[in-house]
């Protein structure tokens, strides 16, 4: 698998070309009925007639199992945006070339609470590309990580996604980000960083929702509107249906956030119909990959962001910390069981963040962060009674210019011995 060289910029000491009726099998009631499995949403088909000769949008929607025209219209009730990059990716695939499809987001994108990975929306998206372009080599990259936001996303996007040179990317962070200026900035920088890639990948923004409607869609859609990016809202599709009594939230999710198979199937159909409609109109869309030069909505502060683990950063002083893998998804950690002595780093950056492990076993404690000798904040790694261990990410220092800074992390004074794991430093 070809990857590009990493560039940190810092220093440290989814319906195919045939009719939708052939693709979606009738499985239970429409608009949320039935069990959403990979087999019920996508079935084998033998007919292939080429773009522009398949069923029109109305016919595609009439053949769907989990969505109807009203749900789809609400989900796509945004300006159409610039479809040229998506069209370029499709033409590349239609020519039989290698095409890399990527998704980046949180636990929903990762596939949490789907009964198996084949039933999550990301896999359904992958299947759309594979079924639509059987002569192309489709490489699929799932960069979804549970419990993470666009702030961490913009720091890991290079190694987790962009290193594979994706041609088409779905970005999903609306339920992990807050609807505030901090996440608006990190989301803006993440989207810009993808769009600015030399190979000019296409981007589609996907907005999921919590049961109560909580979502960063307001912020995220503004970014998409300003940059002319295609957007789809799962929340817009499902929440009015629930309010009208067509189905309940429990029909599409076992908790207050994550879709079940049915919820993922709804998302899969939204994406499938959307992409098929573009495919059917390829002869009317100018396929090109022009450089992205739109001015930033917020401020470009994370375009060179990177994650630094123990392989990339050597502490000036180790204290009671030692290299030990605590988080399998983000290895190369620094860990102490007691917190007896703090750890000190020398970092050259304008902005600094810390990713640390939240622990449910009762051993985690409070540790203080000092930047250049000045107290910055206290990090509490104790998550006793929580849903599980995970990596928490916080920004601890913000400035206008890059400079060398001393970062010290030590146990809060007059507290018992406690464990603490630093998963990575976030620098930009």
């Amino acid at each position: 698998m070809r990857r590009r060289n990493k560039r940190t910029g810092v220093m440290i000491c989814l319906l195919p070309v045939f009719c939708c009726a052939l693709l979606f099998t009738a499985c239970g009631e429409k608009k949320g009925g039935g069990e959403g499995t990979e087999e019920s949403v996508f079935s084998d088909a033998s007919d292939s007639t080429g773009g522009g000769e398949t069923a029109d949008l109305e016919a595609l929607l009439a053949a769907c199992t989990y969505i109807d025209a009203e749900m789809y219209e609400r989900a796509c009730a945004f300006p159409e945006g610039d479809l040229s990059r998506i069209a370029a990716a499709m033409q590349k695939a239609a020519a039989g070339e290698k095409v890399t499809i990527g998704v980046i987001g949180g636990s929903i994108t990762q596939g949490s609470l789907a009964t198996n990975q084949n039933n999550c929306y990301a896999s359904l998206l992958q299947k759309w590309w594979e079924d639509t372009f059987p002569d192309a080599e489709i490489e699929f990259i799932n960069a979804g990580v549970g419990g993470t936001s666009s702030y961490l996303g913009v720091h890991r996007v290079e190694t987790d996604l962009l290193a594979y040179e994706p041609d088409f990317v779905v970005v999903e962070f609306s339920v992990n980000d807050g609807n505030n200026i901090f996440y608006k900035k990190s989301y803006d920088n993440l989207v810009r960083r993808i769009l600015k890639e030399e190979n000019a990948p296409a981007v589609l923004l996907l907005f999921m929702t919590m049961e109560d409607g909580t979502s960063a869609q307001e912020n995220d859609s503004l970014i998409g509107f300003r940059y002319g990016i295609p957007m789809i809202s799962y929340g817009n599709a499902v929440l009015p249906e629930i309010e009208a009594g067509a189905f309940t939230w429990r029909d599409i999710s076992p908790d207050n956030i994550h879709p079940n198979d049915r919820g993922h199937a709804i998302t899969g159909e939204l994406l499938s119909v959307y992409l098929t409609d573009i495919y059917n109109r390829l002869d009317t869309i100018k396929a090109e990959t022009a450089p992205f030069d739109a001015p930033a909505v917020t401020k470009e502060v994370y375009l060179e962001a990177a994650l630094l683990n123990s392989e990339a950063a050597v502490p000036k002083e180790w204290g009671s910390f030692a290299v030990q893998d605590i988080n399998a998804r983000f290895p190369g950690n620094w860990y102490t069981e007691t917190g007896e002595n703090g750890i000190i780093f020398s970092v050259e950056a304008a902005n600094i963040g810390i990713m640390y492990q939240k622990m449910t076993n009762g051993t985690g404690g409070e540790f203080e962060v000092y930047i250049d000798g000045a107290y910055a904040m206290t990090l509490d790694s104790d998550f006793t009674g929580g849903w599980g261990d995970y990596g928490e990410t916080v920004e601890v220092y913000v400035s206008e210019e890059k400079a060398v800074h001393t970062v010290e992390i030590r146990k809060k004074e007059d507290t018992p011995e406690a464990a603490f794991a630093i998963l990575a430093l976030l620098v930009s």
Side-chain angles (χ1 to χ4, degrees):
M1 184 178 296
R2 181 170 60 89
R3 303 188 187 187
R4 302 175 308 169
N5 292 329
K6 299 178 183 178
R7 41 174 215 274
T8 63
V10 298
M11 295 171 58
I12 186 165
C13 221
L14 145 339
L15 292 169
V17 296
F18 33 85
C19 176
C20 185
L22 293 174
L23 203 72
F24 295 115
T25 59
C27 179
E29 297 180 8
K30 203 174 172 73
K31 296 172 62 172
E35 287 301 316
T37 65
E38 184 264 338
E39 290 78 10
S40 68
V41 180
F42 293 95
S43 61
D44 292 334
S46 58
D47 184 29
S48 178
T49 58
E53 299 178 9
T54 57
D56 59 14
L57 181 58
E58 183 178 350
L60 292 174
L61 288 164
C64 289
T65 301
Y66 298 97
I67 66 172
D68 61 12
E70 292 181 359
M71 292 175 68
Y72 182 79
E73 289 171 3
R74 290 195 305 265
C76 302
F78 303 98
E80 184 174 70
D82 185 357
L83 304 179
S84 60
R85 290 191 177 191
I86 295 180
M90 289 183 178
Q91 287 195 350
K92 185 177 179 181
E97 300 179 37
K98 178 181 177 181
V99 174
T100 300
I101 309 302
V103 291
I104 185 168
S107 55
I108 295 175
T109 293
Q110 185 179 5
S112 296
L113 301 191
T115 54
N116 64 69
Q117 194 64 29
N118 290 334
N119 294 339
C120 74
Y121 92 79
S123 294
L124 300 180
L125 173 67
Q126 175 184 1
K127 194 175 192 312
W128 183 89
W129 283 90
E130 292 174 342
D131 287 351
T132 305
F133 306 104
D135 295 329
E137 178 188 351
I138 305 297
E139 179 181 21
F140 190 79
I141 307 299
N142 190 329
V145 178
T148 66
S149 67
S150 65
Y151 173 61
L152 176 60
V154 73
H155 286 80
R156 66 180 179 86
V157 67
E158 169 65 31
T159 56
D160 287 2
L161 180 61
L162 298 183
Y164 301 90
E165 299 185 4
D167 297 283
F168 174 82
V169 176
V170 173
V171 179
E172 178 274 311
F173 278 111
S174 54
V175 298
N176 289 48
D177 283 2
N179 202 37
N180 54 49
I181 188 61
F182 174 77
Y183 289 111
K184 184 177 182 179
K185 182 173 63 175
S186 62
Y187 188 85
D188 183 21
N189 277 253
L190 171 61
V191 172
R192 290 184 65 80
R193 186 161 182 180
I194 299 171
L195 290 172
K196 281 178 169 285
E197 284 295 285
E198 291 183 5
N199 68 310
V203 173
L204 188 152
L205 307 182
L206 175 62
F207 310 137
M208 305 303 289
T209 184
M210 295 186 187
E211 181 177 9
D212 63 1
T214 298
S215 171
Q217 176 175 316
E218 180 182 352
N219 269 348
D220 297 352
S221 62
L222 174 60
I223 304 297
F225 174 76
R226 289 283 294 272
Y227 298 153
I229 305 173
M231 299 175 275
I232 294 179
S233 171
Y234 173 82
N236 286 4
V238 302
L239 293 178
E241 298 299 313
I242 293 171
E243 185 176 358
F247 51 84
T248 70
W249 180 265
R250 286 294 171 262
D251 289 327
I252 60 174
S253 172
D255 59 16
N256 68 327
I257 299 176
H258 303 88
N260 58 15
D261 285 357
R262 188 182 302 177
H264 279 285
I266 291 172
T267 309
E269 286 195 343
L270 292 173
L271 290 167
S272 298
V273 173
Y274 186 83
L275 292 175
T276 301
D277 181 52
I278 295 175
Y279 182 84
N280 290 346
R281 296 186 286 130
L282 271 185
D283 57 348
T284 67
I285 302 171
K286 185 176 181 179
E288 60 182 6
T289 54
F292 176 77
D293 57 3
V297 174
T298 57
K299 187 176 182 180
E300 291 186 333
V301 294
Y302 302 126
L303 292 190
E304 296 183 347
L307 282 179
L308 304 179
N309 61 12
S310 61
E311 293 184 357
V314 179
K316 291 175 60 179
E317 297 183 19
W318 288 84
S320 59
F321 285 76
V323 173
Q324 183 174 336
D325 288 347
I326 300 300
N327 187 304
R329 179 59 181 79
F330 297 95
N333 316 140
W334 299 274
Y335 176 70
T336 178
E337 290 185 346
T338 65
E340 181 179 357
N341 295 299
I343 188 170
I344 301 176
F345 300 90
S346 179
V347 177
E348 184 174 8
N351 310 288
I352 304 171
I354 296 174
M355 186 178 186
Y356 64 101
Q357 187 82 340
K358 297 287 279 188
M359 307 176 186
T360 58
N361 61 7
T363 65
E366 293 182 293
F367 280 65
E368 296 175 333
V369 180
Y370 292 81
I371 306 295
D372 300 328
Y375 171 79
M377 67 176 58
T378 298
L379 309 178
D380 188 358
S381 63
D382 181 43
F383 196 46
T384 302
W387 51 265
D389 293 1
Y390 73 98
E392 180 68 271
T393 308
V394 294
E395 191 168 51
V396 298
Y397 181 80
V398 178
S399 66
E400 295 293 329
E401 297 181 359
K402 182 184 293 186
V404 177
H405 298 283
T406 298
V407 181
E408 181 178 2
I409 304 171
R410 65 183 190 229
K411 185 172 63 68
K412 185 177 181 180
E413 291 186 8
D414 303 322
T415 59
E417 289 188 351
F420 195 81
I422 305 165
L423 306 184
L425 302 179
L426 286 70
V427 296
S428 61

